[in-house]
Amino acid sequence: MAQLLEGVALARQTREILRERVSSIQKTCPTFQPVLKIVQVGAREDSSVYVRMKTRAAAETGINCEHINYPQHISEYELLLALKRFNDDPSVHGIIVQLPLPSHLDERRITESVSVEKDVDGFCEGNLGKLAKRGSEPLFVACTPKGVMKILKHYNISVAGKHAVVIGRSNIVGLPMSLLLEKANATVTMCHSKTKAIPEIVKTADIVVSAVGSAHFVRADWFKEGAVAIDVGINYIPDSSKKSGYRMTGDIDFENAKEVVSAITPVPGSVGPMTVAMLMQNVVDSAIRCKELARKRMPSLLPLKIQTPVPSDIDIARSQTPKFIGDLASEIGISKNELECYGAYKAKVSLDLLKRLSHRRDGHYVVVTGITPTPFGEGKSTLTAGLVQALSNLDKLAIACVRQPSQGPTFGIKGGAAGGGYSQFFPMEDFNLHLTGDIHAITAATNLLAAAIDTRIFHENTQSDAALFKRLTTVKGNKTEFAPVMFRRLEKLGISKENPEELTDGEKSRFARLDIDPSTISWNRTLDTNDRFLRKITIGENSTEKGFTRQTGFDLSVASECMSVLALATDLKDMRERLGKMVVASNKQGDPVTADDLGVGGALVVLLKDAIKPTLMQTLEGTPALVHAGPFANISIGASSIIADKIALKLAGTEPDEDETKDAGYVVTEAGFASDIGMEKFINIKCRTSGHKPDAVVIVATVQALKLHGGGPPVGPGKPIPEVYKNEDVELVRKGCSNLAKHISNSRKYGLPVVVAINKFASDSDSEIFAIREEALRAGATDAVISNHWAEGGNGALNVARALIHACENEKADFRFLYDLNLPIEKKIEIIAKEMYGADGIELSPLAREKLERFTEQGYKDLPICIAKTQYSLSADPELKGVPNNFTVPIRDMRLSAGAGFIYPLAAAISTIPGLPTKPAYYNIDLDEDGNILGLS
């Protein structure tokens, strides 16, 4: 009597082992959850039986299994679209298309649309082809052959050196079965419908596997004595003793064959249960593989073609071939459905990623700032690019978060802001120009709100209260109702009625008439071009405006409060609330008038719904960069967006079972200007809003800039550089280090370790570099090292990267803010002036004090402070270099950004729309004969 190779108990044991494995992983990583999608079309009963069996097995194994049953008439396009969604969903680890499919669907096309990484059935071309290729391993092996091999192993049936005959050559069983047996060193003969003399071939076999789907096809007298019979067939034959009238049987004449063979699989009860068990194993293996891949989110590095002397920035950029942005996204763990490509090399990142990665702890958070800026340029953007390249060279995932440049400076003075040398953001042409249109969206939203202000004043000036109310609330068919946005104004007015007809005449008047005082309008129109002649204009000159004229002006788009809102919003809902709260003027009673009072808040968020998504780009070495927002560093925070940082911190973060210090990646972001302006606002406004706490500060300094702060002669555009800046002068450098020491001190007041990066130039001497290092360490820096990233790329910033890693992993930050929000407005300004600038105090002008009192009365006193002052000095006087003392900070005016969430006192006359110089950068910008952009830098 043959040994029965039963599979029920083995399948149960396999599921129990898998369940224990899943449970064990979940103890250290609670978010681990294998997910299987079973797609069925129609309601065939036999298919439904199989689906129920798989669903039950999944539940017993700890797999989250969802059965999606589409109607019989679903189109092929709709089904392929659904499968694509599952393919692109990183939370899904396995997809099964239950066969057969209705005749109008192309079965091969449908099954092959399942991605190789989720083909847990194991019979798509990618997996089957790898199984056939010598030296290659598929991600998944077809479940039935895999189950057969597991049965043979469990019952200690040797395969090596045996002659195996496989009857049937389907992609699901026959072909992969033959390949697996061959890989196990059996000699395999495959038989099929065209094979002659099958009985004679079977007679020579040590192992016979039948998968033809024909009841009792293989007769007992075909076997040689002692052979092993594996029956994969599932057939139904009439049986009056069964309630259904049918019973299941296999391809082999079991009753007679068991008298001849040494071992045989019964049907049912062997291969079938093991097939389902192997499916469960494939799903669990897939989930574990995805979990491990999530730990390997490390971009491959692009080689640099270093040249000496260093070519122009645009020539360097043009010599490099970027990665396709989808490839970079995949390397760092962004799924396809979280990416919206804008061409080949840039893409928007969906905020849905934050939901998927909400369980992760944040990565290390680093802010790059500098000493007080000089005309030499200190190179913060270049260092940011070089530093993420260097960290990647040290096998640390690093992501740069930087602002989008405005086209105003690009065509005006700078010619670009993508970094420089071999440390650039790239492609630089895209980075410096339109990118993905965010600034244009800001321009559109700002100008829509400006139009709404003047339009409302015009209509209030020309209509009675009753007529105004009727026009505002009338919809199609003369029905009156409030638009959804109007309920925000009703709530502000304390009116709880929902039907316009129920309002009293007084309530109708209060609702309809904003009564804006034109002299208090603070909202300008914008454009993304430097144009001094639009700083002040008169509008309403046409006769159709019925005599309503007023003076207004334009700002650069990046100076708009809409840009500040984009930078400080934490999600789409938050952005909507902030846009609606933007104060554009006061009414004649002194109350603030907001965008939602004008009914335009919803329209603004619609214009900005895509702009809220950061843009993924790369550095020259192929490391990731998120480019988002571009607020001024004077009147706003001067940093990239909170949302970009949130996404980057999760991508660089750690899973629950990883070491949150050693395994974490790095997010390197830049704060505009120096520690007294950009970094102060980054911490006290941006970090206060986001809740993120930086781990370290990197301060960029140069020998030449420190010489200027030490008392070196002034420099300026178009003037020859004095020799003192080219020759060694250690004493002058040491004097200038007082400015560096102040910025180190400023950073330490937030409880953060400081690394000083000395941006190397060819004229720097070793003695000058040593002096900077000595003075920096004396001032409290954790380390001070040379960085030559401009000439060498990431390799040139390795010492900075190592110092930063040491600071983040070994120096404990004691993060704190500079002031309490509950303090009076004047006191908060004074703390910033004294602690960050070194001032003796502040002096409020009558206008500033009037504004201060108004903002306090209007309920805005608890907002953080964003002082607008010159970047060229710690004081409010740009001519005072080094570390000025014995000065006060004059506060000439005070303005409100209620939507962005700060008050900005003006300590200087800050131009919000620069003019063009005599020779703007656009003189150098053109296309060559091949359509390549020239002149950007």
Side-chain angles (χ1 to χ4, degrees):
M1 181 69 69
Q3 179 185 16
L4 291 184
L5 306 179
E6 295 180 305
V8 174
L10 180 57
R12 185 186 307 114
Q13 181 188 54
T14 301
R15 292 196 302 273
E16 288 172 355
I17 291 171
L18 289 172
R19 184 177 187 87
E20 289 174 6
R21 194 176 182 191
V22 170
S23 178
S24 176
I25 296 172
Q26 288 174 336
K27 286 176 183 176
T28 57
C29 187
T31 57
F32 177 74
Q33 179 58 68
V35 174
L36 171 66
K37 301 283 187 181
I38 301 177
V39 175
Q40 181 184 3
V41 179
R44 280 181 52 140
E45 182 54 32
D46 54 347
S47 292
S48 297
V49 169
Y50 292 133
V51 169
R52 287 194 293 270
M53 184 168 55
K54 294 168 185 174
T55 304
R56 187 165 56 250
E60 293 172 358
T61 310
I63 295 170
N64 183 354
C65 179
E66 183 183 0
H67 171 211
I68 304 99
N69 196 179
Y70 292 110
Q72 179 83 10
H73 59 269
I74 188 173
S75 70
E76 191 167 285
Y77 172 76
E78 291 173 303
L79 185 56
L80 288 170
L81 201 61
L83 290 171
K84 183 181 184 304
R85 285 199 304 272
F86 299 147
N87 281 335
D88 293 344
D89 185 347
S91 70
V92 175
H93 306 111
I95 303 169
I96 294 174
V97 178
Q98 185 63 47
L99 302 178
L101 292 170
S103 58
H104 71 282
L105 299 175
D106 184 331
E107 185 173 294
R108 182 180 176 282
R109 187 180 181 196
I110 297 298
T111 55
E112 285 300 323
S113 72
V114 175
S115 72
V116 173
E117 293 83 3
K118 300 186 181 185
D119 169 38
V120 287
D121 264 334
F123 52 79
C124 77
E125 291 173 0
N127 283 314
L128 194 55
K130 284 191 174 182
L131 183 63
K133 186 177 181 181
R134 190 174 302 278
S136 182
E137 290 295 329
L139 289 175
F140 304 105
V141 173
C143 300
T144 299
K146 186 175 181 177
V148 169
M149 297 303 290
K150 185 96 170 179
I151 290 171
L152 292 172
K153 182 178 180 181
H154 178 74
Y155 285 98
N156 297 315
I157 296 171
S158 176
V159 174
K162 301 292 180 66
H163 178 210
V165 171
V166 178
I167 308 173
R169 56 178 173 178
S170 72
N171 289 332
I172 300 173
V173 181
L175 179 57
M177 190 74 252
S178 301
L179 294 168
L180 284 177
L181 288 166
E182 186 180 14
K183 281 181 178 286
N185 297 314
T187 300
V188 182
T189 303
M190 183 185 289
C191 298
H192 47 79
S193 60
K194 304 298 182 183
T195 303
K196 296 180 180 179
I198 293 179
E200 287 79 1
I201 296 172
V202 171
K203 199 73 173 178
T204 67
D206 301 307
I207 301 171
V208 178
V209 181
S210 180
V212 293
S214 176
H216 300 166
F217 176 79
V218 182
R219 293 165 45 185
D221 59 1
W222 290 13
F223 293 97
K224 75 175 183 181
E225 188 105 10
V228 175
I230 306 294
D231 195 342
V232 183
I234 297 177
N235 310 286
Y236 292 91
I237 60 174
D239 186 340
S240 59
S241 67
K242 301 291 182 181
K243 184 177 179 180
S244 64
Y246 294 90
R247 67 180 173 88
M248 184 189 296
T249 188
D251 290 348
I252 298 172
D253 180 2
F254 177 81
E255 292 300 327
N256 293 312
K258 70 183 180 180
E259 304 294 337
V260 179
V261 300
S262 62
I264 190 168
T265 57
V267 178
S270 184
V271 176
M274 282 305 297
T275 297
V276 177
M278 292 302 98
L279 172 63
M280 300 302 114
Q281 183 166 337
N282 280 350
V283 175
V284 172
D285 287 348
S286 177
I288 292 171
R289 173 180 160 274
C290 289
K291 176 177 175 290
E292 294 307 316
L293 282 175
R295 286 164 162 69
K296 297 176 182 177
R297 45 192 185 276
M298 190 70 197
S300 58
L301 294 176
L302 300 177
L304 294 176
K305 306 177 184 73
I306 302 291
Q307 296 182 49
T308 305
V310 177
S312 70
D313 292 346
I314 199 162
D315 286 339
I316 291 172
R318 196 160 290 149
S319 70
Q320 183 64 291
T321 302
K323 294 178 188 176
F324 288 113
I325 203 65
D327 294 340
L328 175 59
S330 178
E331 288 177 336
I332 62 173
I334 301 174
S335 66
K336 291 180 181 178
N337 65 331
E338 293 164 344
L339 206 66
E340 300 171 17
C341 291
Y342 283 63
Y345 306 121
K346 58 183 184 287
K348 288 279 193 183
V349 179
S350 169
L351 273 57
D352 290 342
L353 179 145
L354 291 170
K355 299 175 188 174
R356 177 171 66 86
L357 300 182
S358 60
H359 65 281
R360 273 196 196 159
R361 294 167 302 205
D362 290 346
H364 294 299
Y365 195 29
V366 178
V367 58
V368 175
T369 187
I371 61 173
T372 301
T374 69
F376 289 113
E378 286 61 61
K380 292 193 301 296
S381 298
T382 309
L383 177 73
T384 301
L387 183 52
V388 296
Q389 293 177 160
L391 288 163
S392 299
N393 274 278
L394 295 174
D395 296 324
K396 297 288 187 181
L397 173 60
I399 304 171
C401 287
V402 292
R403 287 181 290 171
Q404 178 185 350
S406 166
Q407 289 179 45
T410 296
F411 290 107
I413 297 175
K414 297 177 75 171
Y422 290 99
S423 295
Q424 296 184 42
F425 300 105
F426 167 73
M428 69 172 305
E429 297 97 326
D430 291 353
F431 185 88
N432 284 317
L433 298 175
H434 304 281
L435 200 59
T436 47
D438 292 355
I439 292 180
H440 301 317
I442 292 290
T443 304
T446 305
N447 290 339
L448 176 62
L449 180 50
I453 296 166
D454 292 308
T455 294
R456 187 57 173 265
I457 294 173
F458 171 80
H459 287 298
E460 287 189 24
N461 285 345
T462 56
Q463 298 180 52
S464 66
D465 291 356
L468 193 61
F469 181 82
K470 183 177 181 181
R471 288 188 172 92
L472 286 171
T473 59
T474 300
V475 294
K476 290 181 180 178
N478 288 325
K479 179 183 177 184
T480 59
E481 61 181 45
F482 293 117
V485 71
M486 293 177 177
F487 289 103
R488 294 172 180 258
R489 174 156 177 78
L490 290 166
E491 182 180 358
K492 179 179 176 180
L493 296 173
I495 301 172
S496 59
K497 300 169 185 176
E498 297 185 2
N499 184 347
E501 301 296 339
E502 295 177 0
L503 270 66
T504 65
D505 289 344
E507 289 171 334
K508 289 178 180 179
S509 176
R510 288 171 57 216
F511 168 80
R513 193 164 294 282
L514 299 182
D515 210 16
I516 293 171
D517 179 353
S519 68
T520 66
I521 295 173
S522 57
W523 196 261
N524 280 349
R525 288 163 172 81
T526 60
L527 75 166
D528 197 30
T529 302
N530 288 357
D531 191 343
R532 69 180 72 247
F533 292 98
L534 293 177
R535 289 171 180 167
K536 186 173 286 188
I537 62 170
T538 302
I539 60 171
E541 293 288 354
N542 197 22
S543 59
T544 55
E545 276 60 78
K546 303 183 184 300
F548 171 61
T549 62
R550 70 178 182 90
Q551 274 198 342
T552 182
F554 274 77
D555 295 328
L556 208 59
S557 297
V558 292
S560 164
E561 186 177 352
C562 287
M563 180 59 84
S564 298
V565 166
L566 179 65
L568 289 168
T570 55
D571 55 33
L572 190 61
K573 181 180 178 182
D574 181 52
M575 184 169 75
R576 168 63 184 90
E577 294 303 313
R578 288 173 178 273
L579 290 169
K581 290 176 180 177
M582 293 189 302
V583 173
V584 298
S586 295
N587 63 18
K588 291 172 183 175
Q589 291 73 46
D591 301 319
V593 177
T594 67
D596 272 341
D597 287 328
L598 288 157
V600 74
L604 299 181
V605 79
V606 168
L607 285 171
L608 298 177
K609 69 178 180 64
D610 292 320
I612 198 172
K613 303 167 192 172
T615 300
L616 178 66
M617 296 188 75
Q618 60 193 288
T619 66
L620 284 174
E621 293 187 48
T623 59
L626 287 175
V627 185
H628 201 210
F632 262 32
N634 294 109
I635 65 168
S636 187
I637 63 166
S640 64
S641 75
I642 285 175
I643 284 175
D645 289 0
K646 285 175 70 173
I647 288 174
L649 286 165
K650 291 303 180 187
L651 289 171
T654 51
E655 298 289 336
D657 56 342
E658 291 182 298
D659 187 320
E660 63 179 314
T661 299
K662 302 293 184 184
D663 295 332
Y666 288 77
V667 174
V668 182
T669 191
E670 179 189 338
F673 303 142
S675 72
D676 57 319
I677 300 181
M679 194 189 75
E680 183 272 312
K681 296 172 181 180
F682 168 83
I683 290 175
N684 290 307
I685 300 176
K686 183 179 178 182
C687 291
R688 200 189 293 270
T689 303
S690 69
H692 297 142
K693 297 178 181 180
D695 296 292
V697 176
V698 177
I699 297 179
V700 186
T702 67
V703 168
Q704 289 182 333
L706 289 173
K707 285 180 177 179
L708 181 60
H709 283 297
V715 295
K719 297 178 182 178
I721 298 176
E723 288 300 312
V724 68
Y725 295 109
K726 302 174 184 177
N727 300 324
E728 182 179 297
D729 191 332
V730 176
E731 189 58 33
L732 194 60
V733 170
R734 284 193 185 275
K735 288 181 180 178
C737 281
S738 62
N739 185 269
L740 172 60
K742 174 58 178 169
H743 291 292
I744 293 171
S745 171
N746 283 357
S747 304
R748 297 293 292 170
K749 286 175 181 175
Y750 300 106
L752 301 174
V754 178
V755 173
V756 173
I758 306 167
N759 198 352
K760 181 176 172 56
F761 286 77
S763 59
D764 301 345
S765 74
D766 291 343
S767 297
E768 290 170 329
I769 296 293
F770 179 79
I772 296 173
R773 174 174 167 77
E774 193 174 57
E775 295 295 333
L777 295 177
R778 183 179 292 122
T782 302
D783 208 345
V785 291
I786 296 174
S787 188
N788 197 23
H789 50 279
W790 181 79
E792 299 176 16
N795 281 332
L798 288 176
N799 286 335
V800 182
R802 290 189 183 102
L804 179 63
I805 292 169
H806 177 83
C808 289
E809 294 186 0
N810 298 282
E811 299 285 331
K812 184 170 178 59
D814 182 23
F815 180 74
R816 53 190 175 271
F817 296 114
L818 190 64
Y819 54 81
D820 190 319
L821 287 181
N822 295 322
L823 292 171
I825 295 173
E826 184 174 356
K827 183 63 176 176
K828 288 182 281 194
I829 300 170
E830 184 180 63
I831 289 172
I832 294 171
K834 287 182 175 181
E835 296 294 329
M836 291 290 103
Y837 312 157
D840 295 331
I842 61 173
E843 183 181 344
L844 294 176
S845 73
L847 176 61
R849 189 165 294 282
E850 177 192 332
K851 296 279 189 72
L852 182 152
E853 291 170 358
R854 182 194 304 169
F855 298 154
T856 300
E857 290 172 4
Q858 291 177 341
Y860 297 113
K861 71 178 181 63
D862 292 336
L863 292 179
I865 302 300
C866 185
I867 299 177
K869 80 167 185 71
T870 178
Q871 67 268 34
Y872 295 117
S873 174
L874 285 163
S875 72
D877 182 351
E879 300 304 318
L880 298 180
K881 305 302 181 185
V883 183
N885 52 41
N886 300 320
F887 68 92
T888 58
V889 177
I891 304 300
R892 298 175 171 87
D893 195 0
M894 204 172 295
R895 294 177 188 169
L896 174 67
S897 287
F902 56 75
I903 291 169
Y904 64 98
L906 276 69
I910 303 297
S911 174
T912 53
I913 182 165
L916 293 169
T918 304
K919 186 183 178 184
Y922 60 65
Y923 274 91
N924 303 316
I925 297 173
D926 209 331
L927 292 177
D928 65 15
E929 292 180 357
D930 298 321
N932 296 313
I933 296 174
L934 304 172
L936 290 175
S937 61

